[in-house]
Amino acid sequence: MANLKTTPLWLLLLLQVIIVRGERTRDTMYQPILGASCFRRLNGTHQTGCSSTHSGSVGVLHLINYDADLDFLLGNPPSPPYAPMIPPHLFTRSNLLRLKEAGPKIISAVLLINKSEKMQQFSHELSCPNKYSGIGRGGNSSETCDESNTALTWNPWGTGLLHEDFPFPIYYIADFDEILKLENCFTKFNSVNFDSQALRSLCAVEVKAFMSAAVNSEVCMRRTNFINNLGGSKYCDPLEGRNVYATLYPRNSSEFIDETKLRKSNPAEKFIIISCRLDTTSMFDGVGVGAMDSLTGLATLTIVAHMLRQLLPDQNTLPDPHRNVLFVAFNGESYDFIGSQRFVYDMENLNFPRRSAQSTPISFENIEFMLDIGTLDDIRNIRLHTLHKSSTVAQKLLQQLNRYAKSSLYDFQLNIGSNAGYNMPPTSAQSFLRRDDNFPAFILNALPSNKYYHSIYDDRDNVGFMYANTSQDYTALTDVSDFKNFNANSLQMKIRNVSSIVAMVLYETLTGRQYEYKDVANPVLSDEFFYCFLQSSDCPLFKASSNPDSPPGLPLPPMRYISVLGGSQESSGWTYRMLGYLLSQPQPQVLKENCTQLPLFYYSGFNGTGECRLTTQNYTHALSPAFLINNYNWSSGQYSTWTESTWSQFSARIFLRPSKMHEITILSIGIVVFIISFCLIYIISSRWEVLFDDVPASNAAFPPPTNC
């Protein structure tokens, strides 16, 4: 009985040993490779991006050091399919299209390795970003940006790879240890005698990045919403996020929530819109901070808002007490102006702000003018763009900007030029001008010089940022001569200069008198801003902008891609808190326990001691109107139609792929063993009496019954 009781225990132990040995065998066979994958997006007419096969794409590793190395793969390679490892300087449009033409039978995956020593430019965006959403007359996009003339494009270094559809996955490996692992595997098994590769085992990679969506957004959304989709499968999601807005002064136009009543704007209210872009994008998931393409604009807007908050008196003392400034950071602008299109749509329908904000809607009649802060590639070469040369508002604005830019009192040493006509930068203002080309929208934009626009390399090195970490108070303004902690040509000082100029112009516009003080924007605030968005969310500015009991941010920069519903909204969340903090008014008489409901919010503050403040910030939905309109014409081009495919996982791992001869040999041995085993079993089962004739019968062990 004891043996019978211990039998299940031994079986369990044996099974556990088998499982553990199986896992160890698998671990020795495969080595994971950490990285980021390209993924699929769709619009109303096309699909773009990458996808692996459903079970994963497998290819033999091949290191590409020169353009000529591709000839080996694209000629008649001995052991296809391959997965070329390509450095950034060879990751060009011509090379990628050659690999695409070869097809998945030859090229099953592409690995982009982070070896940027020879890289001189790297932009995957079109040379004319958002070219189908511009303001060209009669749909003529070449009026705002002419691809045939490099001088009239806004991204001369663009390759357009972000808008190509590839039949294989593209995987980016940034970590140098992971790259070394790949190179060592290639050198050990693949780099010797290429012609004999078919005769030996080779180092290969398996990339899993299967995309569920296909064709275009219309087909994908129809499949997702199909009434017979009983399994609840989702194939794609619309790109959506949140715009962040805040007013300089709290609004006094309250509105009670009553869904039965039509909303009406207050004609006495007047707003100046100061806007910028909140998001960025790249080819790879979760990689890319958009340092130059949009973060410099967001920094400028933030510092302008803070400087005005510090300078301006109470709203009731202004010449026009109904004037206000509306700061807006639009999300999703990288994809045909999603955020600004929705903003315009909501304003047209008197749905901005939402009813839940309990304030009267803002209409286009409430807007005095709009100043859109675009890309500030080269801050010393900024232009004010306007659609109509005869605009008196634009002429006055340009005059004011240059008065402060050239003033000897501040020594900014800037000259702001002008440009009138349809050749305008791809910024949010185009959504407003597309609705009405007489709308007073003006764009402050630098001449294009960003060779890494919308790519993984538009980072802190691209803008030359070095964190000073002064630990000084960034909430106060500083004297114009005080920049002992920063070089005059540093990013912090450049942003200080342009932000101060814009803030001075707005001060003059609101108060009716010129700005004559020596206080300017604080470069320490610029320093802390860029540290938070380029290096670590666990930073002093974000901590001050949060509740004292809030957990710290991650030691990584926030993701700035618009994402989808349920995706990361880190960038908009931190921007919301930061703008709220820098524009808020202290309420020292309100205790912490009473500071729990918006518009009151309890911030940590610069000293971390906690303080109650009156805030004005809020969110608005950044979802294209195309997904709200019934029976929308997906190919009309009226609104953005971008969606993102769903996927199950992103992973890559290397292993030793056996040669064809090895596989044939193993298969042959298996077949022979199977046949021999089958024959032996047949012989044994048919001749068991002869083979086992000495074995007693099963009942021989028992004695015969005795007679009673």
Side-chain angles (χ1 to χ4, degrees):
M1 290 296 293
N3 290 336
L4 291 175
K5 290 181 179 179
T6 57
T7 300
L9 179 62
W10 284 107
L11 288 175
L12 288 173
L13 291 174
L14 180 61
L15 182 62
Q16 185 176 5
V17 169
I18 293 172
I19 293 174
V20 170
R21 288 184 61 84
E23 290 178 350
R24 289 177 178 175
T25 303
R26 183 191 63 190
D27 292 340
T28 57
M29 288 177 58
Y30 297 99
Q31 292 190 43
I33 300 296
L34 301 179
S37 180
C38 167
F39 57 98
R40 178 169 291 165
R41 302 182 187 93
L42 310 94
N43 59 22
T45 56
H46 295 83
Q47 67 178 27
T48 67
C50 320
S51 177
S52 71
T53 61
H54 190 272
S55 58
S57 299
V58 176
V60 174
L61 291 178
H62 192 82
L63 182 62
I64 305 297
N65 290 315
Y66 306 97
D67 285 324
D69 292 336
L70 289 173
D71 296 336
F72 168 77
L73 298 183
L74 302 177
N76 188 20
S79 189
Y82 283 85
M85 299 183 289
I86 305 179
H89 69 281
L90 296 177
F91 196 84
T92 62
R93 179 176 179 82
S94 58
N95 285 342
L96 266 292
L97 291 184
R98 289 179 66 193
L99 297 175
K100 179 181 177 179
E101 291 172 3
K105 291 185 177 181
I106 302 297
I107 305 298
S108 60
V110 171
L111 305 183
L112 173 62
I113 54 176
N114 183 26
K115 300 180 71 174
S116 57
E117 299 84 7
K118 299 180 181 180
M119 178 179 63
Q120 296 181 346
Q121 61 190 56
F122 197 81
S123 175
H124 298 147
E125 186 54 87
L126 297 168
S127 57
C128 290
N130 288 349
K131 66 177 183 178
Y132 300 113
S133 303
I135 55 173
R137 289 167 292 192
N140 185 5
S141 60
S142 64
E143 286 191 305
T144 56
C145 182
D146 189 358
E147 289 179 314
S148 63
N149 186 349
T150 305
L152 296 178
T153 62
W154 295 104
N155 183 30
W157 302 275
T159 62
L161 291 177
L162 191 61
H163 297 266
E164 288 288 338
D165 180 41
F166 294 97
F168 44 71
I170 302 178
Y171 202 73
Y172 170 60
I173 299 100
D175 188 79
F176 293 110
D177 291 334
E178 299 293 287
I179 296 173
L180 185 62
K181 189 191 301 183
L182 291 168
E183 290 181 337
N184 288 341
C185 191
F186 167 77
T187 302
K188 184 176 181 180
F189 297 102
N190 299 7
S191 63
V192 180
N193 192 0
F194 291 152
D195 294 334
S196 64
Q197 282 187 343
L199 304 178
R200 65 179 190 272
S201 299
L202 300 172
C203 185
V205 65
E206 177 192 65
V207 179
K208 290 185 177 180
F210 177 70
M211 299 290 125
S212 305
V215 186
N216 56 45
S217 291
E218 180 181 12
V219 171
C220 185
M221 293 301 294
R222 184 171 66 242
R223 291 177 64 203
T224 297
N225 298 328
F226 190 53
I227 192 170
N228 288 330
N229 188 3
L230 300 178
S233 300
K234 294 184 70 175
Y235 300 98
C236 63
D237 295 290
L239 294 187
E240 64 177 298
R242 297 178 293 190
N243 300 325
V244 178
Y245 72 92
T247 54
L248 180 62
Y249 295 108
R251 296 183 65 198
N252 296 319
S253 298
S254 60
E255 178 189 61
F256 294 103
I257 300 177
D258 188 348
E259 299 289 345
T260 63
K261 290 185 178 181
L262 294 176
R263 305 184 74 191
K264 293 182 180 180
S265 61
N266 181 359
E269 280 193 296
K270 297 298 178 185
F271 292 92
I272 298 170
I273 296 180
I274 307 298
S275 62
C276 70
R277 181 156 65 102
L278 180 61
D279 66 303
T280 187
T281 190
S282 75
M283 182 180 282
F284 302 98
D285 179 50
V287 185
V289 294
M292 188 178 289
D293 74 51
S294 61
L295 200 54
T296 52
L298 180 60
T300 302
L301 178 141
T302 301
I303 297 171
V304 167
H306 175 254
M307 184 173 174
L308 287 176
R309 176 70 271 158
Q310 299 297 312
L311 288 175
L312 286 170
D314 189 80
Q315 188 177 18
N316 293 326
T317 65
L318 297 178
D320 184 353
H322 297 290
R323 286 178 111 182
N324 207 337
V325 180
L326 177 63
F327 298 96
V328 189
F330 293 114
N331 206 350
E333 299 301 274
S334 305
Y335 291 93
D336 292 329
F337 309 121
I338 292 173
S340 57
Q341 284 187 355
R342 178 59 183 271
F343 191 86
V344 170
Y345 179 83
D346 286 344
M347 286 186 68
E348 284 181 322
N349 293 279
L350 294 179
N351 198 31
F352 171 78
R354 295 170 296 179
R355 288 182 184 269
S356 58
Q358 298 187 22
S359 57
T360 56
I362 299 174
S363 68
F364 283 96
E365 287 68 31
N366 297 122
I367 308 302
E368 282 194 34
F369 68 87
M370 174 185 188
L371 180 61
D372 193 18
I373 303 171
T375 57
L376 302 178
D377 300 2
D378 183 1
I379 293 179
R380 295 190 180 277
N381 288 296
I382 296 178
R383 291 180 179 178
L384 182 69
H385 295 263
T386 177
L387 193 58
H388 303 292
K389 189 175 183 179
S390 59
S391 171
T392 56
V393 179
Q395 292 172 3
K396 181 180 179 181
L397 191 60
L398 180 64
Q399 182 183 8
Q400 292 172 322
L401 288 167
N402 275 315
R403 183 194 305 132
Y404 297 110
K406 298 178 181 179
S407 173
S408 59
L409 177 63
Y410 306 109
D411 194 31
F412 292 139
Q413 298 182 358
L414 290 177
N415 178 43
I416 299 176
S418 63
N419 183 72
Y422 278 84
N423 183 226
M424 302 185 76
T427 70
S428 307
Q430 294 214 24
S431 295
F432 292 78
L433 292 168
R434 199 178 190 193
R435 171 190 174 271
D436 178 8
D437 60 8
N438 290 314
F439 181 79
F442 315 108
I443 304 172
L444 206 60
N445 204 88
L447 293 176
S449 62
N450 184 6
K451 298 181 180 180
Y452 305 97
Y453 183 81
H454 280 181
S455 84
I456 53 180
Y457 291 108
D458 189 7
D459 53 17
R460 60 178 177 172
D461 293 330
N462 192 33
V463 292
F465 173 70
M466 294 185 64
Y467 183 42
N469 194 17
T470 64
S471 300
Q472 295 181 1
D473 185 3
Y474 48 79
T475 62
L477 301 181
T478 185
D479 189 89
V480 68
S481 60
D482 183 15
F483 53 91
K484 56 182 177 293
N485 295 304
F486 304 96
N487 184 283
N489 291 320
S490 66
L491 175 66
Q492 294 91 325
M493 291 298 294
K494 291 178 180 178
I495 295 296
R496 183 208 75 162
N497 293 346
V498 69
S499 301
S500 299
I501 293 168
V502 174
M504 291 172 185
V505 170
L506 292 172
Y507 176 91
E508 180 180 340
T509 303
L510 292 169
T511 63
R513 59 181 186 271
Q514 292 186 21
Y515 184 79
E516 298 175 345
Y517 308 103
K518 297 189 71 176
D519 288 340
V520 296
N522 196 336
V524 178
L525 178 57
S526 176
D527 188 50
E528 297 295 343
F529 175 94
F530 282 108
Y531 176 71
C532 291
F533 279 97
L534 291 178
Q535 292 186 234
S536 173
S537 299
D538 186 11
C539 60
L541 179 57
F542 284 177
K543 288 179 180 178
S545 304
S546 304
N547 187 281
D549 299 326
S550 297
L554 297 173
L556 299 169
M559 290 179 57
R560 301 187 60 236
Y561 171 62
I562 182 175
S563 193
V564 296
L565 181 65
S568 172
Q569 297 293 332
E570 290 178 90
S571 183
S572 56
W574 287 120
T575 303
Y576 171 89
R577 296 175 197 147
M578 180 183 62
L579 267 183
Y581 173 61
L582 296 176
L583 277 170
S584 59
Q585 300 176 8
Q587 306 292 307
Q589 74 283 1
V590 181
L591 300 177
K592 179 180 180 180
E593 53 267 24
N594 298 327
C595 190
T596 57
Q597 189 171 358
L598 291 174
L600 295 177
F601 189 85
Y602 198 78
Y603 288 101
S604 293
F606 172 72
N607 294 318
T609 56
E611 54 185 337
C612 185
R613 302 179 75 97
L614 177 64
T615 66
T616 64
Q617 87 282 14
N618 209 331
Y619 291 117
T620 179
H621 206 177
L623 172 67
S624 172
F627 299 98
L628 306 176
I629 300 172
N630 291 328
N631 300 317
Y632 177 74
N633 182 2
W634 295 90
S635 60
S636 66
Q638 182 181 4
Y639 293 117
S640 173
T641 55
W642 285 99
T643 57
E644 178 186 294
S645 174
T646 59
W647 63 80
S648 59
Q649 66 170 320
F650 285 150
S651 67
R653 57 184 183 177
I654 56 174
F655 64 99
L656 204 59
R657 194 194 79 176
S659 66
K660 292 293 183 183
M661 185 60 67
H662 190 174
E663 290 177 339
I664 293 172
T665 302
I666 295 298
L667 178 62
S668 302
I669 292 174
I671 293 173
V672 170
V673 170
F674 172 77
I675 293 173
I676 293 174
S677 301
F678 185 82
C679 294
L680 286 174
I681 292 172
Y682 175 77
I683 293 171
I684 291 172
S685 61
S686 61
R687 303 295 186 199
W688 69 270
E689 302 92 343
V690 177
L691 295 173
F692 306 109
D693 60 340
D694 292 334
V695 178
S698 59
N699 59 355
F702 299 96
T706 57
N707 296 323
C708 296

